[in-house]
Amino acid sequence: MSLETLAVLSTAERSLLGAVPHQLLIDGQWVDAEGGNTFAVRDPATGQELTAVADASVTDGVRALDAAVAAQEAWAATSPRIRGEILHGAWELLQERKEDAALLMTLEMGKPLAEALDEVAYGGEFLRWFSEEAVRIHGRYGVNPEGTGRMIVTQRAVGPCYLITPWNFPLAMGTRKIAPALAAGCTAVIKPAGLTPLTTLFLAGLLQEAGLPDGVLNVVTTRATGAVSDAIIADPRLRKLSFTGSTSVGVQLLKKAANNVLRTSMELGGNAPFLVFDDADLDAAVEGALAAKFRNIGQACTAANRFLVHESVADEFGRRLTERVRTFRVGRGTEEGVTIGPLIDDKAVAKVGELVADAVSRGASLLAGGRPIDGPGSFFEPTVLGEVGTDADIFREEIFGPVVAITPFRDESDAVAKANATEYGLVSYAYTRDLARAQRLIDALDTGMMGLNVGVVSNAAAPFGGVKQSGVGREGGFEGIHEYLETKYVLIPDPFA
Ligand code: NAP
């Protein structure tokens, strides 16, 4: 298969790229990096340079933290209503500029425009949800069991935070951290992924426009990721690290955060099982599978990685899914009708190719696709594999690409054992019409989230997060703001005792 992609930016794309900030945001000012250094941002669909952004040095990173520290006290003292209104204002501005936000994500990350618009809606919801949560930070007041004192429990902002986000959801991964941090009264430095910095810069501009005071949110884009992050994390003024990305980087960061006993939130990798039982509505399961697998070109931590299907329906499930996958249109996400965009870079294409080749060499059957696509950009054919063995690398590793891997199971206990046979525990999916079985699965599947007869679970009102090596903490829901709050307990003598 080969592909023709548009190698030239349209006028609208050029003018949007020209309007997005390209500098660092430090203390409310857009400034160049030390030495005027920059790095290129590329379109993964063409390999073409879109623009360049500031390449922060360690000194720039520490200056960003200086600004967050200086702004902390006043921001924490700002009334919750004002904090909420600023976040709500940013949500409104995002609605007005949703086409721009979506196009920017498609350009720098590659997802089809319709999916980018979905991400604007989803990512925007964190601004709206936490604008509402800002005024619902509660404490307690009560009598101690001995009756000798009054116990007061209050919540207060953790303090300056360092937020690190990945490239796969450039908007939502940022709002999921920024909104609860700011709502709680924390200031922050955010470092977006080097591959997709533009959406974060755009979002920071909206927050400024919505009235965010100088220094409350600072943005550092850099190619010196390790050095800049190490300096910020080692700084005793930092109080919290929130990271979304791979488990391997998360583990390194947890070790570094331990030196200053930082509060941490870690949203890490996944290896989601997608279970289809013989009593499932197979059409619904195929629909759910398409959403769970191909959203974001398979590059989601929640992407279904292992399709565990009862042996009596595995062939039929594979046939129906393959039929649908063959109708997909691959191309640059800005083109009409495209359903599958590029992978983020050529390294990702090579890795997906290796996983497919390994599975086939161990006996998997290739039902569709299976190869990189020639031409400019980083594309891989939408692929379906049947009869994948549990010894295949693809069964253990996060695929992060448009590949369905189907492994048959014998019975419920075999399904659960296979589903839990991973160090990850982010999300699981199960399709069954048997209520008793569904209830058993809720208890048995070792994941922080579960989709029961549904293929997408993400929602700003829900606590998103994993168990085992998929992470620590929750983002979204009532729980999300508590990641940025410290509990303080006060005892006073009972005035009547
Ligand atoms: P990654 O390589 O771990 O990078 C994530 C972020 O960490 C980027 O901003 C990256 O910066 C930064 N980083 C890399 N090395 C670092 C270091 N030594 N110190 C400090 N920061 C460092 O992951 P990715 O490839 O971008 O994202 C894919 C992974 O994220 C997958 O495993 C996926 O499952 C996971 N993810 C998890 C969730 C969740 O909620 N659980 C959501 C989305 C994605 P540079 O870009 O500059 O390298």
Side-chain angles (χ1 to χ4, degrees):
M1 194 169 175
S2 74
L3 199 71
E4 294 283 314
T5 50
L6 295 174
V8 180
L9 292 171
S10 71
T11 312
E13 290 165 4
R14 270 185 204 291
S15 95
L16 175 60
L17 288 167
V20 173
H22 292 69
Q23 294 165 291
L24 310 175
L25 179 61
I26 299 181
D27 201 15
Q29 308 301 312
W30 293 101
V31 294
D32 285 337
E34 190 183 26
N37 293 333
T38 61
F39 65 90
V41 183
R42 294 185 185 282
D43 179 347
T46 61
Q48 187 185 6
E49 179 172 337
L50 293 168
T51 185
V53 297
D55 187 359
S57 66
V58 169
T59 309
D60 294 320
V62 173
R63 278 178 50 224
L65 181 61
D66 291 344
V69 170
Q72 178 58 58
E73 195 178 329
W75 181 243
T78 305
S79 76
R81 179 64 76 200
I82 299 286
R83 299 200 299 264
E85 280 171 359
I86 291 171
L87 289 172
H88 199 269
W91 174 77
E92 282 171 353
L93 288 169
L94 184 62
Q95 304 317 300
E96 286 167 22
R97 307 275 308 275
K98 65 181 178 193
E99 310 284 345
D100 286 349
L103 179 56
L104 209 48
M105 276 193 276
T106 295
L107 288 176
E108 65 175 347
M109 184 271 164
K111 68 183 74 190
L113 211 41
E115 285 194 34
L117 275 166
D118 286 348
E119 183 175 344
V120 176
Y122 168 58
E125 272 308 302
F126 290 97
L127 296 170
R128 184 156 69 158
W129 174 263
F130 287 108
S131 78
E132 294 155 351
E133 289 300 283
V135 292
R136 309 201 200 298
I137 299 169
H138 301 301
R140 301 204 298 273
Y141 180 81
V143 180
N144 66 0
E146 298 74 21
T148 56
R150 298 288 167 113
M151 305 169 81
I152 302 170
V153 179
T154 62
Q155 304 285 334
R156 58 183 191 164
V158 168
C161 303
Y162 185 39
L163 315 175
I164 304 178
T165 54
W167 50 264
N168 59 345
F169 290 97
L171 181 79
M173 297 304 97
T175 54
R176 217 162 74 171
K177 297 188 190 302
I178 292 169
L182 268 45
C186 296
T187 60
V189 176
I190 184 164
K191 192 213 76 65
L195 293 165
T196 58
L198 301 174
T199 307
T200 303
L201 294 166
F202 174 87
L203 173 67
L206 294 188
L207 280 154
Q208 261 192 322
E209 233 181 282
L212 195 68
D214 293 350
V216 174
L217 179 69
N218 305 276
V219 185
V220 168
T221 52
T222 184
R223 271 297 179 207
T225 296
V228 169
S229 300
D230 286 356
I232 294 176
I233 294 167
D235 193 306
R237 299 171 300 168
L238 186 74
R239 298 306 316 135
K240 158 108 195 176
L241 169 66
S242 178
F243 170 79
T244 298
S246 58
T247 295
S248 60
V249 173
V251 167
Q252 291 173 36
L253 293 178
L254 275 170
K255 289 180 184 162
K256 290 174 185 170
N259 291 331
N260 286 341
V261 195
L262 288 180
R263 282 279 299 271
T264 55
S265 301
M266 293 278 147
E267 296 288 347
L268 308 177
N271 181 359
F274 188 107
L275 281 63
V276 182
F277 288 88
D278 50 355
D279 58 44
D281 173 340
L282 220 50
D283 285 331
V286 168
E287 285 309 319
L290 293 170
K293 178 75 249 182
F294 291 101
R295 190 172 72 110
N296 226 36
I297 317 137
Q299 302 168 116
C301 53
T302 51
N305 217 56
R306 297 167 296 150
F307 287 82
L308 304 172
V309 187
H310 189 266
E311 57 193 9
S312 68
V313 291
D315 286 351
E316 181 59 14
F317 176 79
R319 193 188 62 73
R320 290 193 205 179
L321 198 62
T322 303
E323 219 169 77
R324 294 290 298 279
V325 167
R326 288 191 194 282
T327 68
F328 286 170
R329 191 164 156 229
V330 181
R332 190 175 189 238
T334 48
E335 290 168 36
E336 190 73 25
V338 161
T339 45
I340 299 283
L343 295 184
I344 191 66
D345 57 19
D346 290 347
K347 254 183 9 212
V349 173
K351 185 191 164 197
V352 172
E354 280 164 23
L355 288 175
V356 170
D358 172 78
V360 171
S361 77
R362 291 173 197 269
S365 51
L366 190 58
L367 304 177
R371 289 199 318 270
I373 299 175
D374 297 337
S378 307
F379 291 90
F380 198 90
E381 292 175 343
T383 298
V384 183
L385 296 169
E387 300 288 338
V388 174
T390 54
D391 59 338
D393 291 345
I394 209 166
F395 194 82
R396 289 186 306 276
E397 292 180 28
E398 207 174 14
I399 305 171
F400 248 54
V403 182
V404 173
I406 301 172
T407 303
F409 68 78
R410 248 182 357 266
D411 54 25
E412 189 178 311
S413 71
D414 183 32
V416 169
K418 285 189 164 101
N420 287 341
T422 168
E423 71 271 28
Y424 295 107
L426 189 61
V427 62
S428 50
Y429 305 91
Y431 275 74
T432 175
R433 284 188 280 207
D434 178 337
L435 181 60
R437 167 174 282 151
Q439 287 176 301
R440 287 194 298 274
L441 292 172
I442 291 173
D443 285 348
L445 293 175
D446 221 355
T447 56
M449 301 177 285
M450 182 176 175
L452 200 46
N453 296 319
V454 67
V456 177
V457 297
S458 304
N459 192 300
F464 188 105
V467 299
K468 304 198 300 193
Q469 292 190 27
S470 286
V472 182
R474 294 294 180 268
E475 291 188 325
F478 301 120
E479 293 80 356
I481 201 163
H482 290 283
E483 300 284 319
Y484 298 91
L485 291 169
E486 291 286 12
T487 298
K488 183 162 193 174
Y489 150 67
V490 181
L491 181 67
I492 52 176
D494 191 301
F496 308 109

